[in-house]
Amino acid sequence: MLRARWRGFEIDSSEAAYEVKVSQPEKMGTLVRSFLTSGYFTRSHYLLFEEPLIRLRDYIKEHGDLEDKLTAKAIKYLENQIAKFKPDRTSTIGVRAIEAILNYVGAHREELLRARVFRFEPTERQKELYQESDYKFKPGQWVDETDFYSEDEIPLDGVVLYLECTLVKLDALPPEERKETYNCVKQLFEETGLLEELVGWDLFFGRQRDVVADTLNRPLVFTLRVRLNPDATFTITGRWFDDGQFLYPHYEFILKRAAKKAQAKIKFHMIY
């Protein structure tokens, strides 16, 4: 069984986060593929950071054993993926490519760490933000994502894969699951006064709709980052931005079931 510990943190009313500790690095790609193909996410996964794949391709070409099946499979998918890169468009990446690339990285983590393949400096914007917050970060040190208020501030150092993913719509869930998550979100909307406010706005504009169902049927995105840590372990992290506080029950519900399908242990924590 593939096992991981997943920690979720509410950051503020607009962001919440999770973390997975990968216990079987050699099968990390298989874990991520199983998670993404659990049936709880759409099939389109957007690659938000291209440079790691370019560096990995170059490293394999120079140092890899192309006769090795795992290596040959990884380089094939890397070449195909890099050919899709466009300067003005974010590319999608398939789960087979994700699995092959991450399984290679997991098997060669020590060498990749020594070669600093995924060593990245903070962006210019991040450097400005760090000065404002007095936070000091040097590439090569541990990244605790909970130190950072927003995802834009999180260092890219160590990042192997950075995706944007989307939950399936409420109506695509099985009836029992649809009812359960709907009721949880509706209860939170009621307790916080949000339901009354949204219904009030609808009445003002002459609309009648189920605001909870409409909210859960629009695209709800979250990010997924795979990071190679300084001790050659991996973590899988990410955040969601869309009403992090009010939609927390829905994201928690979906991610728990996706993790169960992937045979990963999951745990969430709220931080206020």
Side-chain angles (χ1 to χ4, degrees):
M1 176 183 288
L2 296 172
R3 294 182 180 273
R5 284 182 57 82
W6 195 312
R7 294 187 300 152
F9 301 97
E10 173 139 43
I11 305 303
D12 59 16
S13 61
S14 61
E15 289 195 19
Y18 65 85
E19 179 180 348
V20 181
K21 292 183 178 179
V22 180
S23 61
Q24 292 182 271
E26 297 84 358
K27 296 182 179 180
M28 177 173 59
T30 304
L31 171 63
V32 174
R33 179 180 177 177
S34 297
F35 176 69
L36 293 176
T37 58
S38 61
Y40 291 98
F41 312 115
T42 65
R43 294 183 179 181
S44 296
H45 311 301
Y46 290 90
L47 188 63
L48 299 180
F49 190 30
E50 297 175 343
E51 183 63 24
L53 300 194
I54 296 173
R55 290 193 187 184
L56 181 61
R57 186 270 314 270
D58 294 344
Y59 173 86
I60 293 175
K61 280 190 169 183
E62 184 174 354
H63 303 285
D65 176 8
L66 298 181
E67 298 299 319
D68 173 69
K69 289 185 178 180
L70 182 63
T71 305
K73 192 174 184 180
I75 195 68
K76 172 188 172 183
Y77 279 110
L78 284 166
E79 293 284 22
N80 291 342
Q81 186 64 41
I82 292 169
K84 294 166 56 177
F85 291 170
K86 304 293 182 184
D88 58 345
R89 186 175 64 192
T90 303
S91 63
T92 58
I93 184 169
V95 292
R96 289 186 177 88
I98 290 171
E99 181 177 28
I101 292 166
L102 292 183
N103 281 348
Y104 175 87
V105 172
H108 296 271
R109 56 195 180 277
E110 297 281 359
E111 306 98 290
L112 293 167
L113 186 64
R114 287 194 297 269
R116 301 185 177 185
V117 173
F118 305 114
R119 180 69 58 86
F120 294 102
E121 294 284 340
T123 65
E124 291 303 315
R125 176 55 181 157
Q126 286 176 336
K127 290 177 182 178
E128 294 176 6
L129 294 170
Y130 297 166
Q131 288 179 346
E132 294 172 3
S133 62
D134 293 327
Y135 185 82
K136 295 179 174 60
F137 175 79
K138 292 183 179 180
Q141 74 181 60
W142 274 86
V143 176
D144 182 351
E145 294 197 1
T146 62
D147 288 339
F148 301 92
Y149 181 76
S150 70
E151 185 153 23
D152 290 340
E153 298 174 349
I154 298 173
L156 294 170
D157 187 45
V159 169
V160 179
L161 187 73
Y162 188 2
L163 304 177
E164 177 184 284
C165 309
T166 306
L167 308 186
V168 296
K169 294 182 179 180
L170 177 70
D171 288 347
L173 296 175
E176 290 185 3
E177 293 184 353
R178 183 164 64 241
K179 180 179 179 181
E180 185 176 347
T181 189
Y182 174 92
N183 288 338
C184 288
V185 173
K186 183 177 181 181
Q187 181 179 350
L188 183 57
F189 275 28
E190 290 173 339
E191 291 173 352
T192 59
L194 181 63
L195 184 63
E196 182 179 359
E197 181 177 347
L198 292 174
V199 171
W201 278 106
D202 277 358
L203 291 175
F204 178 80
F205 287 107
R207 297 183 304 216
Q208 282 189 321
R209 64 188 178 111
D210 185 331
V211 295
V212 176
D214 279 4
T215 299
L216 300 182
N217 272 315
R218 58 182 170 79
L220 301 176
V221 302
F222 69 100
T223 56
L224 184 149
R225 266 180 307 284
V226 177
R227 190 187 305 274
L228 176 57
N229 297 314
D231 65 348
T233 62
F234 292 94
T235 50
I236 301 171
T237 59
R239 295 192 181 191
W240 60 90
F241 321 96
D242 205 354
D243 296 326
Q245 180 179 5
F246 300 111
L247 295 186
Y248 190 95
H250 184 62
Y251 277 92
E252 181 184 40
F253 181 89
I254 296 296
L255 293 171
K256 276 185 175 181
R257 277 153 182 77
K260 184 177 181 180
K261 286 281 188 73
Q263 296 184 320
K265 288 188 175 180
I266 184 169
K267 186 177 182 181
F268 291 92
H269 300 281
M270 298 281 287
I271 293 182
Y272 296 95

